[in-house]
Amino acid sequence: MIDRFGRVATDLRVSLTDRCNLRCTYCMPADGLEWMPRADMLTDDEVGRLVRIAVERLGVTNIRFTGGEPTLRKGFTEIIARAAALAPRPRLSMTTNAIGLESRADGLAAAGLDRINVSLDTLRPDRFAALTRRDRLPDVLAGLAAAQAAGLTPVKVNSVLVRGQNDDEAVPLLRFCLDRGYRLRFIEQMPLDAQHGWNRAEMITAAEILAALRAEFDLTPSPSPRGAAPAERWLVDGGPGEVGVIASVTRPFCGDCDRTRLTADGQVRNCLFSQTETDLRGLLRAGADDDEIAERWRVAMWGKLAGHAINEAGFAQPLRPMSAIGG
Ligand code: SAM
Ligand code: SF4
């Protein structure tokens, strides 16, 4: 799936639900959102078919399941198992808040999940409760440990720093991850919250994060190639420990993007920030064959724009929030 700028999409993000058991302030309002009607959501079989088409016909080699909270999807383990049975076997990962993972990590690994990214923004229970509006930090820590024990490695941790809330935790979060062998990546806050409350001046930038880390650690650029990975990586105190920063806003990496996205209601998005979507659910339910679906998906990717334009005048936030796109 090539686009007109020569980028080839091999990395598929599949959102399995827009629902979530947390309410992170930078993602969702306290009352949640109006969830997608069940009838609009792809069934497990429909997800399985689209994933198969992506792998067998469109050259997708990596699949990440996300949401909302992907572990809330009932058929999740079976969806993983089906994807793992495809040839060529795609690499399978998921992004999760890790709630409930403690009891499920072994089963997911057995089904074929290879790796995991866990979102964790603070190590302080009171702040966790304020940032996510749920008092669940112990569940997340237990989920992380279970993922490591189950071999869902390397376990990566994603952290968003929010000014005045957890922006003094860059160093403690890195120490926590280094001690346990987790790979930490900080993510700049993006204008993708459902409340449209993002404010550039409030965002903690990559430069600020690096300055805070450099006060405590010696950071040198990682020698391993970045490729299409969104994170810029640094060796910490000479390695082998590393830290990454995903500077989507201040250092965009759109020129190397290899992503294609499928929402839980069967829409292809060629970018997180896209203003348009391509409906595969309607095509699928109208009886289209695999060739037709693959062709529609290819056309959707061909139309991908050069970049997200967050830093340009006239930028408009997409209608869907991150939780309904699949972060
Ligand atoms: N619920 C799962 C989780 O939190 O890991 C998966 C979905 S969540 C939308 C995926 C990632 O997006 C999380 O790491 C979260 O911190 C991040 N995220 C959510 N809203 C964001 C925003 N406005 N800017 C940057 N990252 C955001
Ligand atoms: Fe849920 Fe993830 Fe959004 Fe937090 S960031 S509210 S865990 S979807």
Side-chain angles (χ1 to χ4, degrees):
M1 283 185 283
I2 192 165
D3 68 36
R4 70 187 83 177
F5 301 96
R7 295 167 297 191
V8 178
T10 53
D11 185 339
L12 168 62
R13 308 269 149 148
V14 182
S15 175
L16 292 178
T17 177
D18 60 337
R19 292 167 171 76
C20 193
N21 41 14
L22 296 183
R23 295 285 182 273
C24 302
T25 51
Y26 52 77
C27 185
M28 279 195 201
D31 293 340
L33 296 164
E34 199 176 311
W35 309 124
M36 271 173 204
R38 296 270 177 205
D40 287 358
M41 289 177 64
L42 297 177
T43 63
D44 293 354
D45 280 347
E46 288 171 335
V47 171
R49 180 169 174 209
L50 292 177
V51 163
R52 177 178 58 71
I53 290 171
V55 170
E56 289 181 350
R57 296 177 183 248
L58 294 168
V60 162
T61 55
N62 290 274
I63 303 173
R64 171 171 300 276
F65 295 97
T66 180
E69 178 44 44
T71 54
L72 294 183
R73 174 106 183 194
K74 280 206 185 68
F76 184 45
T77 309
E78 293 70 36
I79 289 173
I80 297 273
R82 277 174 77 161
L86 293 171
R89 159 79 153 87
R91 284 185 291 276
L92 301 174
S93 59
M94 105 163 137
T95 301
T96 176
N97 61 30
I99 290 181
L101 191 61
E102 186 182 13
S103 60
R104 296 188 63 186
D106 282 332
L108 290 170
L113 189 68
D114 296 308
R115 290 194 300 102
I116 203 159
N117 283 25
V118 171
S119 303
L120 174 64
D121 303 328
T122 176
L123 297 168
R124 294 170 48 165
D126 54 329
R127 288 185 176 180
F128 187 94
L131 267 163
T132 69
R133 302 190 180 100
R134 302 286 188 271
D135 193 6
R136 307 290 297 269
L137 179 61
D139 304 67
V140 177
L141 300 181
L144 264 169
Q148 178 95 313
L152 296 172
T153 50
V155 172
K156 293 187 185 172
V157 172
N158 294 350
S159 299
V160 176
L161 296 181
V162 182
R163 199 171 299 283
Q165 294 195 45
N166 62 342
D167 52 338
D168 56 353
E169 286 195 67
V171 168
L173 280 164
L174 181 52
R175 282 201 208 290
F176 170 85
C177 289
L178 290 172
D179 286 349
R180 289 160 182 78
Y182 307 152
R183 290 203 197 156
L184 176 63
R185 297 119 41 91
F186 292 98
I187 308 177
E188 281 182 344
Q189 198 178 338
M190 294 179 276
L192 285 171
D193 57 313
Q195 310 89 301
H196 290 227
W198 183 85
N199 170 348
R200 180 180 298 269
E202 288 293 302
M203 176 187 66
I204 303 289
T205 63
E208 286 177 87
I209 295 164
L210 290 169
L213 295 177
R214 286 199 162 108
E216 292 288 327
F217 303 100
D218 179 35
L219 301 186
T220 46
S222 167
S224 47
R226 180 176 178 184
E232 273 184 82
R233 286 175 292 124
W234 284 267
L235 291 180
V236 181
D237 292 336
E242 283 193 355
V243 65
V245 181
I246 303 181
S248 319
V249 180
T250 62
R251 301 187 206 177
F253 36 84
C254 305
D256 292 317
C257 181
D258 64 354
R259 307 270 163 85
T260 180
R261 294 171 187 276
L262 181 66
T263 65
D265 55 351
Q267 311 299 302
V268 166
R269 297 180 61 92
N270 56 26
C271 173
L272 259 181
F273 293 91
S274 175
Q275 294 290 346
T276 58
E277 300 182 338
T278 298
D279 180 28
L280 295 188
R281 184 191 69 218
L283 197 64
L284 195 110
R285 292 186 183 171
D289 65 20
D290 289 358
D291 282 340
E292 289 170 280
I293 292 170
E295 186 53 23
R296 176 85 59 100
W297 202 330
R298 258 190 222 104
V299 170
M301 295 313 296
W302 178 254
K304 180 167 170 141
L305 300 179
H308 59 43
I310 298 176
N311 300 313
E312 290 167 26
F315 166 76
Q317 186 170 335
L319 288 178
R320 276 185 199 255
M322 179 81 126
S323 56
I325 296 172

